């Protein structure tokens, strides 16, 4: 595990796994060292942006926190993490195509998606767009060859090893399995995103 | 109230951006050349974080319903203040009903207009900035847009004119190598520092796309998505670098060979299509940059 420089203000901590990235993120947020502006978990990293900080001292602190994050009591953090249940109607435009690609029936696709235990890995693409990891391997399918120009908000979709809920209307190349009424993004709410990194997610038909 | 009669090629409301939300997928946004926005604000007695207007290639015409102190900084443009010629980097009084006409910049790309009291549009997640990537904040200015003048706490106007940093069409830009320098061949590192890159026309507030020697990767495959820093030099598979500006995505999957030094991000933000830039090491040797202080 390494800490890499990301410019004058940033340190990129390699965590090896998403779970350790989430634990380090939680420890850092609880402690919130002065001058830390952004803590950004990635798939196997945490970017810490801290303008004006003494980076040698910050790096030393990060090493200590990373040690703690790498050796937690088994399962404790994950069990403590919040579970968000997302009600979903499986009537997506690509449900049948996913069934054909996977050799399952549409009903089986929906059942396997709802049975998957997801964790919000990291966010990107759009505000509130969480890459949900933990998709049943039988449902790993490629993106659409031609992305849609507009996907409605609340669309529940999959691509590769990930699932997601589109937080707002946007173009998109993921395959649509269904839709939810739960708002995962609301600028008037605090926090504005329902699915922060580390949040556990279950889809409920 | 300020009426936008014509916004020029592209104009938006900007302050210093919405920080603290990158982990929720929210770009920081804010003035691309933040030091110029801060300077314009100081000149009219505003807090540096007050919202102003970022003009791209100048060319704007505004009408002020009430009298207002304003100042312009950044790319230098001819200025007509209600029929009288006026200068950059100086407080200017626009009388009630008066107009402000900003011409095209002689050099540089982005000109910042501060109004005493700030632009008073509603903040979103703590910022009034237009985020061109995600659409957060007010829409870009268009003919007929009405902008309220805000009530930011102001201090006395103390300076008649300020000297602004030069805005050259060719710039040397300091780079801190990493975090993914090891994804590139030694030849790519040499190329990065050897020849100037030319700014491509597809550049915008998200990033400055560069034409020049493609940077060759030392390894195949995809980088797991990771947090991106302001000024990151991201290299897509075609090898042509992109320097991330204010509206950059907070996470990404292409390797970052180096990050432009904080003070030089504003320099990059002022380059126009066709301008050139050289990358040079921020510290002494090109090849440091892996573990920080370890």
């Amino acid at each position: 595990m390494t800490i890499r420089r990301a410019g004058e203000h940033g340190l990129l901590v390699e965590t090896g796994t998403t779970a350790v990235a989430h634990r380090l993120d939680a420890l850092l947020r609880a402690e919130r060292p002065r001058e830390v502006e952004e803590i950004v978990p990635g798939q196997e990293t945490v970017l810490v942006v801290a303008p004006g900080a003494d980076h040698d001292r910050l790096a030393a602190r990060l090493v200590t926190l990373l040690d703690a994050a790498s050796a937690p009591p088994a399962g404790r953090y994950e069990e403590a993490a919040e579970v968000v249940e997302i009600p979903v109607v499986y009537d997506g435009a690509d449900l049948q195509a996913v069934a054909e690609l996977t050799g399952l029936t549409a009903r089986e696709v929906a059942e396997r998606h709802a049975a998957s235990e997801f964790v919000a890995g990291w966010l990107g693409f759009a505000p509130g767009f969480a890459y949900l990891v933990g998709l049943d391997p039988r449902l790993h399918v490629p993106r659409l060859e031609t992305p849609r120009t507009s996907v409605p908000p609340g669309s529940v979709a999959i691509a590769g090893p990930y699932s997601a809920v589109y937080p707002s209307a946007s173009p998109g190349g993921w395959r649509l399995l269904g839709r939810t009424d739960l708002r995962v993004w609301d600028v008037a709410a605090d926090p504005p995103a329902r699915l922060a990194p580390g949040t556990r997610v279950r889809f409920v038909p | 109230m300020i009426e936008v009669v014509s916004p020029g090629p592209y104009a938006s409301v900007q302050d210093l951006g919405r920080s603290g939300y990158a982990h929720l997928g929210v770009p920081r946004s804010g003035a691309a050349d933040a030091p110029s926005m801060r300077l314009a604000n100081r000149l009219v007695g505003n807090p540096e974080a007050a919202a102003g207007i970022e003009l791209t290639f100048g060319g704007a015409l505004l009408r002020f319903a009430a009298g207002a102190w304003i100042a312009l900084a950044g790319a230098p443009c001819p200025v007509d203040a209600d029929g009288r010629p006026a200068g950059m980097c100086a407080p200017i009084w626009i009388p009630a009903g008066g107009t402000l006409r900003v011409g095209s910049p002689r050099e540089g790309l982005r000109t910042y207009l501060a109004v005493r009291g700030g632009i008073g549009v509603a903040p979103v997640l703590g910022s009034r900035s237009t985020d061109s990537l995600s659409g957060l904040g007010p829409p870009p200015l268009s003919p007929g847009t009405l902008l309220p003048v805000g009530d930011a706490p102001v201090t006395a106007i103390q300076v008649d004119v300020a000297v602004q940093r030069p805005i050259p069409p060719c710039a040397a830009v300091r780079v801190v190598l990493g975090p993914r320098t090891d994804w590139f061949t030694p030849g790519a590192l040499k190329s990065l520092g050897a020849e100037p890159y030319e700014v491509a026309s597809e550049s915008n507030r998200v990033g400055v796309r560069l034409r020049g020697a493609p940077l060759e990767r030392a390894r195949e495959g995809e980088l797991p998505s990771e947090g991106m820093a302001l000024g990151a030099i991201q290299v897509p598979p075609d090898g042509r670098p992109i320097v991330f500006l204010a509206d950059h995505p907070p996470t990404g999957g292409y390797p970052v060979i180096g990050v432009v030094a904080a003070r030089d991000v504003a320099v990059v933000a002022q380059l126009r299509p066709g301008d050139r830039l050289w990358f040079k090491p921020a510290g002494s040797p090109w090849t440091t940059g892996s573990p920080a202080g370890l």
Side-chain angles (χ1 to χ4, degrees), chain A residues 3-9 11-12 14 29 37-43 45 47 56 59 122-124 126-128 185 187 192-193 197, chain B residues 19-26 28 125 134 136 176 178-180 182 224-228 251 259 261-262 289-294:
Chain A
I3 298 182
R4 295 167 180 265
R5 254 203 184 292
E8 287 177 323
H9 295 168
L11 294 173
L12 185 74
E14 297 208 318
R29 268 175 214 287
E37 255 180 22
E38 301 282 1
I39 304 163
V40 192
Q43 196 166 355
T45 51
L47 174 69
D56 288 345
W122 62 96
L123 282 82
W185 174 251
V187 287
Chain B
S19 65
Y21 295 102
H23 64 296
L24 302 181
V26 180
R28 171 154 185 156
L125 300 177
S134 76
L136 292 178
V176 179
R180 297 295 172 192
D182 51 348
S225 277
E226 64 188 26
M228 292 282 140
T251 58
V259 181
S290 26
L294 296 178

Side-chain angles (χ1 to χ4, degrees), chain B residues 111-122:
Chain B
T111 303
Y112 293 86
L113 168 68
V115 181
R116 187 168 166 84
I119 300 293
V121 296

Side-chain angles (χ1 to χ4, degrees), chain A residues 7 83 142 169:
Chain A
V83 182

Side-chain angles (χ1 to χ4, degrees), chain A residues 144-182:
Chain A
L144 297 172
E145 293 211 351
T146 309
R148 291 185 169 84
T149 52
S150 184
V151 174
S155 296
V156 174
I158 58 172
Y162 309 119
S163 186
V165 180
Y166 278 81
S168 46
S170 68
W174 292 30
R175 294 182 194 260
L176 310 183
L177 297 188
R179 61 195 153 87
T180 180
D181 290 334
L182 185 85

